[in-house]
Amino acid sequence: MTPKTANDIRKMEEAGRLAAEALAYTGKFVKAGITTDELDKIANDFILSKDAISACIGYHGYPKAICTSINEVICHGVPGKRILKAGDIINIDITVIKNGFHGDTSSMFPVGEISERAKALMECAYGAREAGIEAAIAGNCTGDIGFAVDKYVTRKGFFAVREIGGHGIGRIFHEDPFVPSFGKKGKGPKLVKFGTITVEPMVNETGAPIRELEIPGSEITEFVTSDGKWSAQYEHTILITDGKPQILTQI
Ligand code: MF3
Ligand code: CO
Ligand code: CO
């Protein structure tokens, strides 16, 4: 993990802000009856209008501008003809490239009225991201983030996904280190001041195995729960400092 220069940080701030704006904008359109393809177009048009591009289109063959992961889909849900219905929960994950740098963020959005259990699952994923971010201090390790996330999730009675997680980010979309949602304090790569990573825990209702689905024409795979139970996730891109990290993907 190498520190960003002051110039790089300024560009990461810009990319991060834009990703956050695109996510907030797109989220306003979430309602019963809309398709995920429509959300994809809304997001992509917004990103292009800001002199940026989606990092996802063509990334290892990925076909769409954003990821839309509904209910039992853990991540990398591909926008298509699926129509949102009341009671669904959807994660929208947006990554932009602006001035050569990536900003990567995701949030959950409820569709109409949702169940108390779905609310609790979303709140758990939100809190898990907060807990992970709190542990992301220079000198700590990726294991400190994972430990904090897993502890938070376990205490709420849910399950943190181990196979997938956060990543270093900058000019490259996914780079070292891997940022796990489990781990041991003081283990894993060290977090370096002015390094940039994502924290993006995925939280499942149950500990059932996860399943990987092919995305035609792509090396990226979609992840779903094997038992059909639901999953939630929130993601921020952050800048590591000596104290509280700076959240780059906020408006
Ligand atoms: N945005 C996802 C992440 O948080 C990656 C999506 S890659 C794609 O790392 F190709 F599926 F878009
Ligand atoms: Co990410
Ligand atoms: Co993302």
Side-chain angles (χ1 to χ4, degrees):
M1 179 175 198
T2 42
K4 299 284 185 292
T5 65
N7 249 322
D8 290 355
I9 290 170
R10 236 169 284 134
K11 290 179 187 160
M12 286 293 290
E13 285 171 341
E14 246 195 276
R17 195 177 319 116
L18 178 55
E21 284 168 359
L23 182 61
Y25 178 78
T26 307
K28 287 194 190 130
F29 292 86
V30 170
K31 61 170 193 310
I34 197 166
T35 67
T36 47
D37 255 345
E38 288 172 304
L39 293 173
D40 189 73
K41 179 166 168 38
I42 287 163
N44 198 42
D45 287 349
F46 181 90
I47 294 164
L48 294 174
S49 79
K50 304 287 182 184
D51 290 319
I53 58 168
S54 157
C56 298
I57 301 176
Y59 180 73
H60 296 292
Y62 187 79
K64 298 285 176 160
I66 63 173
C67 298
T68 50
S69 303
I70 303 167
N71 301 346
E72 74 286 353
V73 181
I74 299 166
C75 67
H76 305 165
V78 181
K81 304 212 175 318
R82 185 163 173 177
I83 299 166
L84 297 186
K85 59 176 197 308
D88 285 345
I89 57 171
I90 180 173
N91 173 279
I92 300 180
D93 191 337
I94 299 187
T95 310
V96 304
I97 306 175
K98 172 87 178 168
N99 295 323
F101 285 84
H102 291 76
D104 186 5
T105 185
S106 83
S107 272
M108 299 301 299
F109 299 91
V111 183
E113 271 302 304
I114 62 169
S115 70
E116 288 306 313
R117 181 147 176 89
K119 272 182 213 164
L121 182 67
M122 290 191 349
E123 276 168 23
C124 180
Y126 189 90
R129 180 181 67 177
E130 297 289 294
I133 289 173
E134 236 173 75
I137 299 166
N140 274 4
C141 301
T142 56
D144 291 278
I145 299 175
F147 178 83
V149 166
D150 194 30
K151 180 170 147 193
Y152 185 92
V153 172
T154 303
R155 284 192 173 177
K156 299 279 178 195
F158 291 117
F159 297 81
V161 173
R162 291 178 166 239
E163 292 86 342
I164 335 158
H167 48 92
I169 183 168
R171 283 191 183 277
I172 296 170
F173 192 167
H174 295 105
E175 59 187 28
D176 286 346
F178 175 64
V179 181
S181 296
F182 67 99
K184 288 198 170 76
K185 286 184 185 175
K187 298 283 179 194
K190 230 187 187 73
L191 303 172
V192 171
K193 186 176 180 177
F194 300 148
T196 45
I197 59 167
T198 72
V199 177
E200 51 176 307
M202 287 154 245
V203 176
N204 291 359
E205 271 189 275
T206 72
I210 67 171
R211 211 146 65 87
E212 227 174 321
L213 306 177
E214 300 293 324
I215 298 171
S218 174
E219 291 147 44
I220 303 288
T221 50
E222 181 177 332
F223 290 89
V224 298
T225 63
S226 61
D227 60 358
K229 298 288 188 190
W230 289 10
S231 184
Q233 180 189 23
Y234 288 83
E235 174 175 25
H236 268 317
T237 299
I238 64 172
L239 174 72
I240 304 293
T241 74
D242 287 326
K244 253 168 95 83
Q246 184 184 336
I247 294 170
L248 297 171
T249 41
Q250 68 188 2
I251 298 168

